[in-house]
Amino acid sequence: MKKRVSLIAIGDELLSGKIRDENLFYAVNKLTSLGIEVVEERIIGDDEKSIISALKSASSVADFVLVSGGLGPTEDDRTRRAVSKLLKKKLILKKDVLKALSERFEKRGLPMPLSNRNQALFPEGAKVIPNPVGTAPGFSVRYKKSQIFFLPGVPSEFKIMLEDVIKRIGKGKSLRTKRFRIFGIPESGIADKLNGFSDLFKECKIAFLPSFPENIVDISVLSRDEKRAEKIINEAGEWIKERIGDFIYSEGETLPEVIGKLLREMGFKIATAESCTGGLVSSLITDVPGSSDYFKGGIVSYWYEAKSNLLGVDSEFLEKNGAVNERVAIDMAEGALKALNVDIALSTTGILGPGKGGEREEVGTLFAGIAWKGGELSKKFFFPLGDRRAKKIIFSYFALDSLRRFLLSEKRMRDSKEVIEKAKKEGIAFIKKCRNGKNPLFFFITANPPTRAHREILIEAVKTYPHDEVVVMLDIYHADKSVEEASLEERMEMLRIAFDGVPNLSIGISSKGLFVEKLDLIREVWKSEKITFLAGMDTMVRILSPAFYQDPDLAFKKLFENSGFIVAERKDMDEKKIEEIFRERNLERYLNKIKVLKIPSSLKDISSTEVRERIKRNEPVSDLLPQGVEEFIRERKLYKG
Amino acid sequence: MKKRVSLIAIGDELLSGKIRDENLFYAVNKLTSLGIEVVEERIIGDDEKSIISALKSASSVADFVLVSGGLGPTEDDRTRRAVSKLLKKKLILKKDVLKALSERFEKRGLPMPLSNRNQALFPEGAKVIPNPVGTAPGFSVRYKKSQIFFLPGVPSEFKIMLEDVIKRIGKGKSLRTKRFRIFGIPESGIADKLNGFSDLFKECKIAFLPSFPENIVDISVLSRDEKRAEKIINEAGEWIKERIGDFIYSEGETLPEVIGKLLREMGFKIATAESCTGGLVSSLITDVPGSSDYFKGGIVSYWYEAKSNLLGVDSEFLEKNGAVNERVAIDMAEGALKALNVDIALSTTGILGPGKGGEREEVGTLFAGIAWKGGELSKKFFFPLGDRRAKKIIFSYFALDSLRRFLLSEKRMRDSKEVIEKAKKEGIAFIKKCRNGKNPLFFFITANPPTRAHREILIEAVKTYPHDEVVVMLDIYHADKSVEEASLEERMEMLRIAFDGVPNLSIGISSKGLFVEKLDLIREVWKSEKITFLAGMDTMVRILSPAFYQDPDLAFKKLFENSGFIVAERKDMDEKKIEEIFRERNLERYLNKIKVLKIPSSLKDISSTEVRERIKRNEPVSDLLPQGVEEFIRERKLYKG
């Protein structure tokens, strides 16, 4: 049965308009996120009559009544007396509580004021709720069919003791929670991505807390079995992380704190160059204690004059083209990089409104720039909603989040260097292992670059033939090192971006060319599981070519007896074609190991080669690539030849 | 009899933890500030049973029940039906409301959805409360001894319609309000200064709203007589302004908005140079729409390196003395003045903590610097409370408020130029006229500079001999123009600062030397009132000197028959001495026009000459001057010779 809770806050000061209740708001959030229904909230004055009448009426509609406040030593104990009258039970002094109270005062070298004795008085039969942080313990009593809990009104004490009450409401269950802080997608977008959560994790409650300009998703499990609660919350957490991907910027820390950590890890010193955000970006960065370790300073260049004098932005260009464009964003960041002698600089230039101030772009447009010792990039954002202050905040977050993503890429690329070396030596290595699936699907790609087809074929394959783990492997055997291609670290990063948000994803690197060799190495990790490879039809044809093997028959036997293939159609290569080839090679006995994946014809034309050629010809490629990959290539100026 | 109000918010969403009620909090503030007692607040779900039970219980404890929400078109009209059941009255369609509703839709070219028809349904006998901004009108009904008001839950609609309800609670009274935004004194300090307000202005309610880092004081009058309400609120407002003085920075605008206005009025362009505030000062300045008109840019110099490279602060000095001191604050401001080519620059350098980062000062210390084309100044602040973020905010406000006060002084000095010219031509002119008192006291000083004695003698005089107006006049006849003295504008400003917060104060300028001449000019403004002069005993002796007059007898007759004198004792000059002089001059018949003011001997030694001499000798003068005057002299480097 669903628990119904009624909340009461006691305190004249709460009805004076001077102090706002925080406890009930906190409690309603917490309780509803656990699936406990709050049927009423009430704020009443500190007098016996009001207290008695509120307790009566609350307990008539709820299974549990939770009362905040009215337990302080100076409050003349009206709450205690009201409860005593309501229950017709006298107040008795609990000696152990009194002892603990006076010891508390002793420790601080203070005599205990007489009034604090009141705090050891409880209606006969009440259960004491210990207060780990303050003087006043809480208590609980039964009244008619309800359980009533009394907690002190001091918010820090109330919040901690609420956990105790929640356990009592849940009868000895323990609570596990996780928080995800998300920036860059609206609440509705998050809800879409997490569709199905409640069916999959029935015991796990989920709560969305919009907290402009970000979103917070809290999940919690209340269970008698601590280990079980832990397991569920972890699985639910992983499920959410897979679906929201890099939009989750932390599980608790603020965005500037996350950036601070990344800067420390990379050993980078940073500076800012701000126009429209007017100093808010640097102010956010310096909200973090210790930020002076990595933040050297910033320049707020509001006027063109300041942009050219302090940051070296070309003043003729500004006069002609205005300040809100990619070029100025980049020049500002480069100006700050030099002027402040740092490793990385972040810039903002945009239009807050209400007026456009002669700029060409619309109100709500922002360009954020990043310059570092190896290059520079810029990103465009558009957010026309809200007032000037709201736009300033979200613009600052856009810029900071761009920086976070850049630093994350840099850090991952640095970290993947080691894994690549390991793969070169040992043939195989892993970046991320989501689990040991019973039925894993392997997808080897050279990721030079990974295309929209790669991502969609993988998703289609899992939809058509379910697998409990998806292992995308960067294939570096084929990595020839011509100048116009991306480095292995860059490919690894593009691969991660391309498959961001794919459920049950593991990522690895392989340096072996032949699928029989790959199979051997995979077998060392997935010992007895059913191995399946996902491959394009052209790859399948190459696998079947006898020229690659000393003893083709043996090789094919080993490969097909120990693994299966999902083969994606390509242009001019359909199911019939593959059967034909198997027959030609006298391998039709293995055809039962082959499943053909039909894919939309629009995907069949997409190839990494096509992407590279278009980029060389300065043609758009956004139709060929996952959005993040296209951005990465553009920002890092890859494949320009 | 005091009115008792109970507040109810209806809405499942308010009990879901996702949306926080704002209406009840707004209403409780508003109502209590008007002296209306709120006895209970309640948030309930959107179901008939809860609504009926809450209405019953609320009306049993209150004269008025105010309900927010539950009137929307899609809410299936549970509130209306609940009220209809409670009152046993059927719902009837009000045709005029329906007509107004459909016209509203027509105007926007939309068909009216059928569900909106519900909004024209009211329990029989209900009075409609018009909604000037939305579709749903409110209504009121009587239930037992209470009046129940139903308003829509949309905050913008609720707030406007609440004014209507307040009038009904106050039965046709009209409400006048004033708001004062105050920075620089704590709430308790404000309360001290406003002690006695409620006795003086019995019909005027006062509310303190702490709003970190500032304080807000709201006053309001609810009266049947609009003109009377207007008069009371204005008098109460003036009374408060006199007592809080320049700590009041606005009657509505934010601090950055006030600064923006002052900068525009002075035609100044501004820049910032921030260290500890990390960009928050420039961010606050640029929160104001149109701030790009006067804000050119800023430099956030977090590292010493940035302070010396970008702002030209001496790096050896930094290494030796740290960055948190007056010299660095001033050098930073001057650096920004040059680097950004502005008229005025504001700097901050301080220690937020938690660590001291090797600085000498304590955590919580701030130096703010101001540099302008004519000079520079710095101020030291100390605020060790709160976390890093709180300190950043209050530090930024300290700096901005210093800037506001500087700009205010500059503006007043510029404005007083004209008044000084007028006084030179016409003999007398006024800067500020508080009223035409029946019993004014005139105090002529040269204010070169005004001392603590001047202020305290005036206050003592009014305490001993009550006057309904106090007119302090800058006496410029005696103003000789040696270089080491302050300009007339500076003296005028010092005079204003010295007497800031004195009740019933008027301020003027006089260019006539003789008191008979002064009297003539005063008579043109105060025609038939009883004129009293406040003077030091030395001035009195000078007045009695026959050498100043062509016809001394006539002059003394005119002077003493038309005015009286309060004469303050000086060193070696007591009551006996003055009687002696009157007798010597054969003027004992006028002795009844003279009242002697006893003053503490500590004040008798204080003179403007002493102040100037000490400053020349680089000795401290804070014991001789009102605090603001001492700061002004130090900041403007006056009397340095």
Side-chain angles (χ1 to χ4, degrees):
Chain A
M1 204 201 84
K2 211 168 176 196
K3 313 286 189 190
R4 292 162 58 95
V5 177
S6 176
L7 304 176
I8 299 176
I10 299 178
D12 288 339
E13 75 284 3
L14 300 172
L15 291 172
S16 73
K18 287 180 78 169
I19 293 178
R20 187 169 191 181
D21 158 72
E22 295 298 331
N23 291 346
L24 298 196
F25 183 65
Y26 180 84
V28 78
N29 247 306
K30 192 90 191 178
L31 293 168
T32 53
S33 78
L34 293 168
I36 297 164
E37 188 187 355
V38 175
V39 292
E40 199 183 64
E41 285 178 53
R42 211 186 274 239
I43 300 176
I44 59 171
D46 197 4
D47 59 283
E48 216 173 278
K49 204 180 132 199
S50 300
I51 297 172
I52 290 178
S53 127
L55 289 175
K56 271 188 189 169
S57 112
S59 55
S60 75
V61 298
D63 309 301
F64 298 98
V65 181
L66 175 55
V67 183
S68 150
L71 302 183
T74 59
E75 281 158 304
D76 206 9
D77 216 32
R78 287 192 203 94
T79 307
R80 290 167 209 279
R81 271 192 280 123
V83 180
S84 144
K85 273 198 190 168
L86 177 72
L87 300 178
K88 301 192 179 73
K89 303 262 186 197
K90 59 181 181 189
L91 289 173
I92 55 166
L93 187 80
K94 295 225 176 191
K95 292 214 172 118
D96 49 337
V97 173
L98 184 65
K99 202 175 151 229
L101 272 173
S102 60
E103 278 170 3
R104 221 184 129 83
F105 280 93
E106 245 168 57
K107 255 190 208 161
R108 292 188 286 174
L110 298 167
M112 187 175 85
L114 264 183
S115 59
N116 280 79
R117 277 179 72 94
N118 284 338
Q119 298 186 315
L121 286 174
F122 299 92
E124 216 179 339
K127 279 185 198 151
V128 173
I129 303 172
N131 181 339
V133 284
T135 57
F139 63 95
S140 78
V141 298
R142 281 212 73 83
Y143 174 69
K144 294 191 174 166
K145 285 190 175 171
S146 304
Q147 182 92 23
I148 311 182
F149 300 96
F150 296 87
L151 299 187
V154 183
S156 58
E157 301 176 14
F158 179 86
K159 285 180 189 176
I160 287 186
M161 292 168 76
L162 179 62
E163 301 296 315
D164 207 332
V165 170
I166 286 171
K167 273 187 206 160
R168 287 170 199 236
I169 291 178
K171 281 188 195 127
K173 291 180 180 174
S174 50
L175 176 66
R176 287 288 178 284
T177 60
K178 254 186 205 300
R179 164 161 289 188
F180 298 101
R181 299 182 73 157
I182 299 165
F183 179 76
I185 26 173
E187 191 188 338
S188 57
I190 298 170
D192 280 354
K193 280 176 191 280
L194 299 187
N195 197 5
F197 178 88
S198 301
D199 292 334
L200 266 172
F201 302 96
K202 288 203 172 64
E203 291 162 86
C204 189
K205 293 291 160 193
I206 186 162
F208 292 79
L209 309 172
S211 161
F212 183 82
E214 57 177 331
N215 277 285
I216 291 175
V217 171
D218 278 347
I219 55 171
S220 54
V221 178
L222 192 68
S223 167
R224 222 167 295 257
D225 179 346
E226 273 196 41
K227 277 192 190 158
R228 193 178 148 66
E230 192 74 29
K231 188 168 169 272
I232 293 172
I233 199 96
N234 285 338
E235 283 178 8
E238 286 308 309
W239 193 89
I240 288 176
K241 282 198 265 181
E242 274 169 2
R243 266 142 200 93
I244 315 277
D246 286 349
F247 288 107
I248 295 174
Y249 71 76
S250 90
E251 294 185 24
E253 291 166 313
T254 64
L255 185 53
E257 282 168 352
V258 170
I259 287 171
K261 256 194 176 168
L262 286 167
L263 288 168
R264 279 182 203 276
E265 279 173 335
M266 295 303 291
F268 282 175
K269 306 289 175 259
I270 193 170
T272 54
E274 300 179 62
S275 185
C276 58
T277 51
L280 186 55
V281 171
S282 65
S283 180
L284 287 166
I285 291 175
T286 57
D287 276 349
V288 181
S291 48
S292 58
D293 292 348
Y294 50 80
F295 178 71
K296 278 194 170 185
I299 288 168
V300 182
S301 57
Y302 230 49
W303 282 30
Y304 287 2
E305 183 189 320
K307 289 181 182 75
S308 50
N309 288 353
L310 299 175
L311 293 167
V313 181
D314 185 73
S315 57
E316 263 179 56
F317 182 87
L318 282 168
E319 287 306 330
K320 245 192 199 163
N321 305 283
V324 183
N325 51 61
E326 183 174 338
R327 161 89 186 270
V328 172
I330 285 178
D331 287 356
M332 284 173 65
E334 294 206 318
L337 194 76
K338 274 179 222 143
L340 282 132
N341 182 29
V342 287
D343 307 296
I344 186 166
L346 176 64
S347 72
T348 61
T349 175
I351 314 168
L352 293 174
K356 284 176 65 169
E359 294 293 339
R360 293 181 181 181
E361 299 279 349
E362 291 306 309
V363 169
T365 305
L366 171 78
F367 286 86
I370 298 175
W372 67 101
K373 285 179 172 167
E376 79 290 313
L377 63 87
S378 98
K379 289 196 185 195
K380 185 177 179 178
F381 298 95
F382 186 58
F383 188 84
L385 309 172
D387 62 8
R388 186 179 169 88
R389 170 100 190 121
K391 279 200 213 80
K392 249 175 93 172
I393 294 171
I394 207 156
F395 279 14
S396 299
Y397 268 70
F398 278 143
L400 288 171
D401 197 54
S402 303
L403 176 64
R404 174 185 70 90
R405 285 171 178 269
F406 174 81
L407 290 170
L408 212 55
S409 278
E410 287 296 297
K411 186 179 166 294
R412 282 172 179 168
M413 286 197 280
R414 193 192 63 182
D415 294 350
S416 62
K417 267 201 174 64
E418 217 174 290
V419 188
I420 290 166
E421 285 315 308
K422 193 177 175 219
K424 279 181 183 165
K425 251 185 252 159
E426 302 175 11
I428 197 167
F430 291 92
I431 294 271
K432 180 195 164 200
K433 198 67 199 71
C434 80
R435 79 192 64 196
N436 253 13
K438 299 279 164 230
N439 177 24
L441 177 67
F442 291 84
F443 192 24
F444 286 78
I445 63 170
T446 53
N448 191 27
T451 66
R452 197 159 66 78
H454 287 122
R455 182 185 165 97
E456 292 187 15
I457 285 169
L458 179 68
I459 289 171
E460 200 54 40
V462 184
K463 215 194 272 170
T464 316
Y465 309 106
H467 290 264
D468 64 351
E469 182 178 8
V470 172
V471 191
V472 181
M473 301 288 293
L474 179 67
D475 204 340
I476 64 174
Y477 177 82
H478 296 290
D480 19 15
K481 299 252 176 133
S482 75
V483 273
E484 75 257 43
E485 304 207 335
S487 73
L488 294 181
E489 291 80 20
E490 285 164 342
R491 291 191 201 179
M492 188 70 246
E493 184 55 15
M494 286 192 284
L495 186 154
R496 292 187 80 133
I497 297 169
F499 295 100
D500 186 34
V502 169
N504 309 320
L505 183 70
S506 295
I507 296 173
I509 301 165
S510 151
S511 64
K512 292 293 176 192
L514 296 179
F515 271 72
V516 273
E517 293 172 313
K518 296 186 210 282
L519 185 64
D520 272 344
L521 292 164
I522 286 169
R523 277 275 170 239
E524 286 173 23
V525 185
W526 287 265
K527 304 226 184 295
S528 57
E529 290 84 357
K530 192 186 159 226
I531 305 297
T532 310
F533 293 104
L534 172 62
M537 225 164 249
D538 50 342
T539 304
M540 196 69 242
V541 172
R542 210 169 52 234
I543 291 170
L544 296 182
S545 162
F548 289 117
Y549 310 94
Q550 285 191 308
D551 183 344
D553 280 345
L554 194 64
F556 293 140
K557 187 173 184 309
K558 191 175 161 189
L559 183 62
F560 289 115
E561 283 182 356
N562 291 294
S563 68
F565 279 80
I566 297 172
V567 183
E569 288 184 334
R570 295 210 66 162
K571 213 173 165 183
D572 314 320
M573 283 191 176
D574 59 5
E575 194 156 0
K576 276 185 191 156
K577 176 84 181 172
I578 207 81
E579 277 177 31
E580 208 174 284
I581 296 170
F582 269 83
R583 262 176 254 283
E584 263 174 29
R585 305 266 152 92
N586 272 325
L587 296 169
E588 51 266 73
R589 65 185 174 286
Y590 298 128
L591 263 173
N592 65 329
K593 291 300 197 132
I594 309 298
K595 289 168 180 163
V596 171
L597 182 71
K598 296 212 173 295
I599 58 171
S601 60
S602 64
L603 291 181
K604 291 181 190 168
D605 285 335
I606 300 177
S607 76
S608 300
T609 316
E610 168 77 8
V611 174
R612 295 196 301 271
E613 281 171 3
R614 279 212 215 161
I615 291 173
K616 248 174 249 161
R617 295 195 303 265
N618 264 321
E619 289 169 16
V621 288
S622 53
D623 55 325
L624 307 182
L625 297 171
Q627 196 198 327
V629 174
E630 195 249 326
E631 272 175 30
F632 187 88
I633 291 173
R634 183 164 32 79
E635 288 164 1
R636 306 295 172 132
K637 302 176 187 65
L638 299 181
Y639 307 120
K640 283 288 188 187
Chain B
M1 205 203 81
K2 210 169 175 194
K3 313 288 189 187
R4 293 162 57 93
V5 177
S6 175
L7 305 176
I8 299 175
I10 299 178
D12 288 338
E13 75 284 4
L14 300 172
L15 293 171
S16 73
K18 288 181 78 170
I19 293 177
R20 188 169 191 180
D21 158 73
E22 296 297 331
N23 291 346
L24 298 197
F25 183 66
Y26 180 85
V28 78
N29 247 309
K30 192 89 194 178
L31 293 168
T32 53
S33 78
L34 294 168
I36 297 164
E37 187 187 355
V38 175
V39 291
E40 198 184 64
E41 285 178 52
R42 209 186 277 237
I43 299 176
I44 59 171
D46 196 5
D47 58 283
E48 215 175 277
K49 205 181 131 198
S50 301
I51 297 173
I52 290 176
S53 128
L55 290 175
K56 271 188 187 169
S57 113
S59 55
S60 74
V61 297
D63 308 302
F64 298 98
V65 180
L66 175 55
V67 183
S68 151
L71 303 182
T74 60
E75 280 158 305
D76 206 9
D77 217 33
R78 288 191 202 92
T79 307
R80 290 167 209 277
R81 271 192 280 124
V83 180
S84 144
K85 274 198 189 169
L86 177 72
L87 300 178
K88 300 191 181 74
K89 303 261 185 197
K90 59 181 179 189
L91 289 172
I92 55 165
L93 187 79
K94 295 226 177 190
K95 292 219 171 112
D96 49 339
V97 173
L98 184 64
K99 200 173 154 232
L101 273 173
S102 59
E103 277 170 5
R104 221 184 129 82
F105 280 92
E106 244 168 57
K107 254 189 209 160
R108 293 188 285 175
L110 298 168
M112 186 174 85
L114 264 183
S115 58
N116 282 78
R117 276 180 73 96
N118 284 337
Q119 298 186 314
L121 286 174
F122 299 93
E124 215 180 338
K127 278 184 199 154
V128 173
I129 303 172
N131 181 339
V133 284
T135 58
F139 62 96
S140 77
V141 297
R142 281 212 74 84
Y143 174 68
K144 294 189 174 165
K145 285 189 176 171
S146 304
Q147 183 92 25
I148 311 182
F149 300 96
F150 296 87
L151 299 187
V154 182
S156 58
E157 301 176 14
F158 179 87
K159 286 180 188 176
I160 288 186
M161 292 168 77
L162 179 62
E163 301 296 315
D164 207 334
V165 170
I166 285 170
K167 273 186 206 160
R168 287 169 199 237
I169 291 178
K171 280 185 197 133
K173 291 180 182 174
S174 51
L175 176 67
R176 287 288 179 282
T177 59
K178 254 188 207 298
R179 163 162 290 187
F180 299 101
R181 300 182 73 156
I182 299 165
F183 179 75
I185 25 173
E187 192 186 338
S188 57
I190 298 170
D192 280 355
K193 281 178 191 280
L194 300 186
N195 197 5
F197 178 89
S198 300
D199 292 336
L200 266 171
F201 302 96
K202 287 203 173 61
E203 291 163 87
C204 190
K205 293 290 160 192
I206 187 162
F208 292 79
L209 310 172
S211 161
F212 184 81
E214 57 177 329
N215 277 286
I216 291 175
V217 172
D218 278 346
I219 55 171
S220 54
V221 178
L222 191 67
S223 167
R224 221 167 298 255
D225 179 345
E226 272 197 39
K227 275 190 190 159
R228 191 176 150 68
E230 192 73 30
K231 188 169 170 275
I232 294 172
I233 198 95
N234 285 336
E235 283 178 9
E238 286 309 309
W239 193 90
I240 288 175
K241 281 198 267 182
E242 272 168 3
R243 266 141 202 94
I244 314 277
D246 285 350
F247 288 107
I248 294 174
Y249 71 76
S250 91
E251 294 185 25
E253 290 167 313
T254 64
L255 184 54
E257 281 168 352
V258 170
I259 286 171
K261 254 193 179 169
L262 287 167
L263 288 168
R264 278 181 202 278
E265 279 173 336
M266 296 301 291
F268 282 175
K269 306 288 176 261
I270 193 170
T272 53
E274 300 179 61
S275 185
C276 60
T277 50
L280 186 55
V281 172
S282 66
S283 181
L284 286 166
I285 290 175
T286 57
D287 276 349
V288 180
S291 48
S292 59
D293 291 348
Y294 49 80
F295 179 72
K296 277 195 171 185
I299 288 169
V300 182
S301 57
Y302 229 50
W303 282 28
Y304 287 1
E305 183 190 319
K307 289 182 182 73
S308 50
N309 288 352
L310 300 176
L311 293 167
V313 181
D314 185 74
S315 56
E316 263 179 56
F317 182 88
L318 282 167
E319 287 305 330
K320 246 192 197 161
N321 305 282
V324 182
N325 51 61
E326 183 174 341
R327 161 89 185 271
V328 172
I330 284 178
D331 287 356
M332 282 173 65
E334 293 205 319
L337 194 76
K338 274 181 223 141
L340 282 133
N341 183 29
V342 287
D343 306 295
I344 186 165
L346 176 64
S347 72
T348 60
T349 175
I351 314 169
L352 293 175
K356 284 174 66 170
E359 295 293 339
R360 292 180 180 182
E361 299 278 350
E362 291 306 309
V363 169
T365 306
L366 170 78
F367 286 87
I370 298 175
W372 67 101
K373 285 182 172 165
E376 78 290 312
L377 63 87
S378 98
K379 291 198 182 193
K380 185 178 177 177
F381 298 95
F382 186 58
F383 189 84
L385 309 173
D387 62 7
R388 184 179 170 90
R389 170 99 190 124
K391 280 202 213 78
K392 249 176 92 172
I393 294 171
I394 208 156
F395 279 14
S396 299
Y397 268 70
F398 278 144
L400 288 172
D401 197 55
S402 302
L403 176 64
R404 174 184 71 90
R405 286 171 179 269
F406 174 82
L407 290 170
L408 212 54
S409 278
E410 287 294 298
K411 186 180 167 293
R412 282 172 177 168
M413 287 196 280
R414 193 192 63 183
D415 294 349
S416 61
K417 268 202 172 67
E418 215 173 290
V419 189
I420 290 168
E421 284 316 307
K422 193 177 174 217
K424 280 181 182 166
K425 249 184 252 161
E426 302 175 11
I428 196 166
F430 292 91
I431 293 273
K432 180 196 164 197
K433 199 64 200 71
C434 81
R435 78 191 67 197
N436 254 14
K438 299 278 165 229
N439 177 25
L441 177 68
F442 290 84
F443 192 25
F444 287 77
I445 63 171
T446 52
N448 192 29
T451 66
R452 197 159 66 78
H454 286 123
R455 183 186 166 96
E456 292 187 16
I457 285 168
L458 180 68
I459 289 171
E460 199 54 39
V462 184
K463 215 194 271 169
T464 316
Y465 309 107
H467 290 264
D468 64 350
E469 182 178 6
V470 171
V471 190
V472 181
M473 301 287 293
L474 179 67
D475 204 340
I476 64 175
Y477 177 82
H478 294 291
D480 19 16
K481 300 252 179 136
S482 76
V483 273
E484 75 257 44
E485 303 206 338
S487 73
L488 293 181
E489 292 79 20
E490 285 164 341
R491 292 191 201 179
M492 188 69 245
E493 184 56 15
M494 285 192 283
L495 187 154
R496 293 187 79 132
I497 296 170
F499 295 99
D500 186 32
V502 169
N504 308 320
L505 183 71
S506 295
I507 296 174
I509 302 165
S510 150
S511 63
K512 293 292 175 193
L514 296 178
F515 272 72
V516 274
E517 293 172 314
K518 294 185 210 282
L519 185 63
D520 272 345
L521 292 165
I522 286 170
R523 276 277 170 241
E524 285 173 23
V525 185
W526 287 264
K527 304 227 183 299
S528 56
E529 290 82 358
K530 192 185 158 226
I531 305 296
T532 312
F533 292 104
L534 172 64
M537 225 163 248
D538 50 343
T539 303
M540 195 71 243
V541 171
R542 209 169 55 233
I543 290 171
L544 296 182
S545 161
F548 288 116
Y549 309 94
Q550 283 192 310
D551 182 342
D553 281 345
L554 194 65
F556 291 139
K557 186 172 184 312
K558 189 176 162 191
L559 182 61
F560 290 114
E561 281 183 359
N562 291 294
S563 66
F565 278 81
I566 296 171
V567 182
E569 290 183 333
R570 296 212 65 164
K571 212 174 167 185
D572 313 319
M573 282 190 176
D574 60 5
E575 194 155 3
K576 275 184 194 156
K577 176 84 182 169
I578 206 81
E579 276 177 33
E580 207 175 286
I581 297 171
F582 269 83
R583 263 177 254 283
E584 262 173 31
R585 305 268 151 94
N586 272 326
L587 295 169
E588 52 266 72
R589 65 187 174 286
Y590 298 130
L591 263 173
N592 67 328
K593 290 302 198 127
I594 307 298
K595 290 167 181 162
V596 171
L597 183 71
K598 297 213 173 293
I599 58 171
S601 60
S602 65
L603 290 181
K604 291 181 190 166
D605 285 337
I606 299 178
S607 76
S608 300
T609 315
E610 168 77 8
V611 173
R612 295 196 302 270
E613 281 171 2
R614 279 212 215 162
I615 291 172
K616 247 177 250 159
R617 295 195 302 267
N618 263 321
E619 290 169 14
V621 288
S622 53
D623 54 325
L624 308 182
L625 297 171
Q627 195 199 328
V629 175
E630 194 248 327
E631 272 176 29
F632 187 87
I633 290 173
R634 183 162 35 78
E635 288 165 1
R636 305 296 172 131
K637 303 178 187 62
L638 298 181
Y639 307 119
K640 282 289 186 186

